[in-house]
Amino acid sequence: MKKVIALLLALVMVLSLGACSVEKTAETKAPETQPAATEGTQAAAPEAAGDPVEISLWTYPIGKWTDEATVSALLADFNAAYPNITVKVEYLDYTNGDDKVNTAIEGGQAPDIVMEGPERLIANWGAKGLMVDLKDIVPAGTYDSVLSSCTSADGAVYEMPVCMIAHCMAINRDVFEAADALQYLNEETHTWNSVEDFFKAVQAVYDAGNEYVGTIYCGGQGGDQGTRALITNLSGGTYANAEHTEYTYASQENAEALAKLYVQDGITFDTAIQAADEIQAFVNGTFQMAFCWNIGQEVTNADALSFDVLPMAFPSDTTPSLQGGIWGFGVFDNGDEAKIEAAKTFIKFMTEDDAQYIKAVEATTYAPVRDVEGVYVTDELFPEYNLLSPMMGDYYQVTKGWTQARTEWWNMLQRVSATDGSVEAILAEMETAQTAANAAAAAEG
């Protein structure tokens, strides 16, 4: 087993502390009187005046939707139109956010609105009958492919999509140029010439004196979409079937791809870190590539980056298939019709009017889910990253048993790191994990 040296681990873990999201609560109170509408501000609807109602919004770390100043500005827009609705906000992280929500559900105190992706809102809480159908307020023009991922098997829209992104990998362009490794990729299309050329590039960067080119992080589920996309693209394999009824990654092709990574100079397996740590190590120049990347990461880390980041599709001998991310609002059915209507009013306000929707989308740092002019008009990064959006593949995160499947994946990688690296040993570990994941899928029906 190849491990990152102790000094690197210590550095990464210290950095990761600063990367962790902080849970905090903010509240916006309705003003005593409604201010007059000004130019560029959405005027209050006739139904805005009503009995006071307080609703809660819990949001996972989706771009700047966990930045209090950004969210407060959005809420100020809302309260200018709806002074009778008070929104209490709680910011979650991916370390214990699920535990907080699930505990709240068990205690009958679920939030009124939660902002996350279909894997939770549709495949988890929606499948359990806990969410409100939002199909009556879906804005016209929402992309069919996105809306279908936010719709349950029975046709209910349990997530109002707000934004989307194609997760990708990234390289330190400066280092790759110095190592003469740019010859192995196409900068215009942000793709690798071939799987073989990807490994040639890694070797060239390693031979140029960069011991740590990249790592297969597996200290937890954080950012596991990166390792899944890397392995399945390298092999041309799959992670789940097209019907989203079972997991299919325990294949000869996927095992062979993982075996190649196991023996590749410059690629390590690290059982102590998750994606947040990998990202920080890439940003500070310790690693020369990151497998968990997107435009939001570059925006968030802009001040810390001292090199040119080149976003890349994952290496593939066919068309790369990137795992897409979709995020939006869901409403828990807490049995209070007034709060449900207030929650839907909030969501409709943020998504229906183009001007307000642009603000909501730009706060995520991701891309809109319908054609709307004026998004990121001053952002030089958006056109570059948007080249990867057409490569978005199947949204397999809605496969049953998803929570257990994620746990099985990173545990499998940990066990693989302790094997001899043979295809046979790796395939055996994949089969063990896949069996457990499919058992969980079957149990959920």
Side-chain angles (χ1 to χ4, degrees):
M1 178 183 71
K2 297 186 289 181
K3 297 182 178 178
V4 177
I5 60 175
L7 179 61
L8 173 60
L9 283 176
L11 174 63
V12 170
M13 294 311 292
V14 169
L15 288 169
S16 69
L17 294 176
C20 294
S21 300
V22 177
E23 294 182 16
K24 51 189 175 181
T25 301
E27 184 173 350
T28 179
K29 297 184 180 295
E32 294 181 2
T33 58
Q34 183 179 352
T38 58
E39 184 177 354
T41 301
Q42 184 167 334
E47 64 270 22
D51 294 334
V53 58
E54 179 181 284
I55 58 175
S56 55
L57 164 64
W58 290 12
T59 174
Y60 282 79
I62 303 162
K64 293 185 178 180
W65 268 87
T66 47
D67 175 68
E68 191 168 354
T70 300
V71 175
S72 293
L74 292 168
L75 294 178
D77 289 343
F78 176 68
N79 274 139
Y82 296 93
N84 60 308
I85 302 176
T86 300
V87 183
K88 185 176 181 181
V89 184
E90 183 153 346
Y91 303 105
L92 305 175
D93 60 34
Y94 285 117
T95 301
N96 57 14
D98 288 354
D99 290 339
K100 290 200 67 171
V101 176
N102 291 330
T103 298
I105 292 171
E106 292 171 2
Q109 299 294 324
D112 297 299
I113 307 173
V114 64
M115 190 175 190
E116 227 315 76
E119 53 267 40
R120 289 175 174 84
L121 301 185
I122 309 301
N124 187 356
W125 302 316
K128 295 176 181 177
L130 302 175
M131 310 299 289
V132 174
D133 187 356
L134 302 176
K135 70 164 64 75
D136 60 319
I137 60 171
V138 174
T142 301
Y143 299 141
D144 290 339
S145 59
V146 173
L147 189 58
S148 65
S149 297
C150 297
T151 304
S152 67
D154 62 3
V157 177
Y158 290 132
E159 174 174 340
M160 173 68 76
V162 174
C163 62
M164 65 178 185
I165 199 65
H167 293 298
C168 62
M169 63 176 292
I171 64 171
N172 182 326
R173 189 190 179 283
D174 298 352
V175 168
F176 271 64
E177 183 176 33
D180 195 26
L182 293 178
Q183 62 178 303
Y184 300 115
L185 56 88
N186 186 322
E187 288 194 73
E188 292 186 2
T189 61
H190 296 262
T191 58
W192 300 90
N193 296 338
S194 65
V195 168
E196 181 182 2
D197 273 4
F198 165 75
F199 284 107
K200 286 181 179 179
V202 173
Q203 189 67 48
V205 173
Y206 175 82
D207 290 341
N210 301 283
E211 185 176 1
Y212 303 107
V213 183
T215 191
I216 307 300
Y217 52 87
C218 48
Q221 70 178 28
D224 51 358
Q225 71 272 6
T227 54
R228 292 194 303 267
L230 174 64
I231 293 166
T232 54
N233 275 279
L234 282 173
S235 66
T238 61
Y239 184 79
N241 64 4
E243 297 76 25
H244 302 145
T245 57
E246 64 178 0
Y247 299 94
T248 58
Y249 57 80
S251 66
Q252 183 76 15
E253 294 80 8
N254 285 342
E256 289 176 357
L258 195 48
K260 289 180 181 178
L261 292 167
Y262 189 99
V263 299
Q264 175 61 50
D265 290 335
I267 299 295
T268 61
F269 279 71
D270 199 318
T271 62
I273 68 173
Q274 298 185 44
D277 311 305
E278 182 233 30
I279 290 166
Q280 288 303 308
F282 172 66
V283 169
N284 68 32
T286 302
F287 294 140
Q288 310 314 319
M289 60 173 58
F291 299 127
C292 184
W293 197 255
N294 55 50
I295 188 174
Q297 297 297 344
E298 184 159 357
V299 171
T300 301
N301 293 287
D303 293 339
L305 287 164
S306 60
F307 55 86
D308 185 11
V309 174
L310 184 62
M312 293 290 297
F314 288 92
S316 173
D317 282 332
T318 58
T319 301
S321 178
L322 306 186
Q323 183 176 348
I326 299 172
W327 296 272
F329 298 113
V331 176
F332 276 103
D333 187 351
N334 290 322
D336 188 322
E337 289 301 322
K339 289 194 172 188
I340 290 174
E341 287 307 309
K344 292 173 73 173
T345 296
F346 174 84
I347 294 171
K348 188 175 181 180
F349 177 87
M350 291 294 170
T351 59
E352 187 174 59
D353 175 74
D354 279 358
Q356 190 65 42
Y357 176 58
I358 289 172
K359 293 182 182 181
V361 170
E362 292 189 338
T364 70
T365 71
Y366 299 145
V369 295
R370 68 175 188 262
D371 289 331
V372 58
E373 295 183 358
V375 181
Y376 302 114
V377 291
T378 61
D379 194 331
E380 297 178 357
L381 294 176
F382 188 72
E384 181 179 33
Y385 280 87
N386 207 36
L387 289 173
L388 300 172
S389 293
M391 302 178 196
M392 285 176 60
D394 179 44
Y395 202 88
Y396 57 70
Q397 299 98 302
V398 295
T399 305
K400 298 289 187 180
W402 178 245
T403 301
Q404 184 65 31
R406 295 187 73 187
T407 299
E408 295 298 334
W409 178 259
W410 65 266
N411 282 334
M412 177 271 294
L413 291 177
Q414 287 200 345
R415 296 194 301 271
V416 164
S417 72
T419 68
D420 60 6
S422 66
V423 173
E424 294 76 17
I426 292 173
L427 183 57
E429 296 298 348
M430 284 185 160
E431 289 173 344
T432 297
Q434 181 177 282
T435 297
N438 281 331
E444 290 186 9

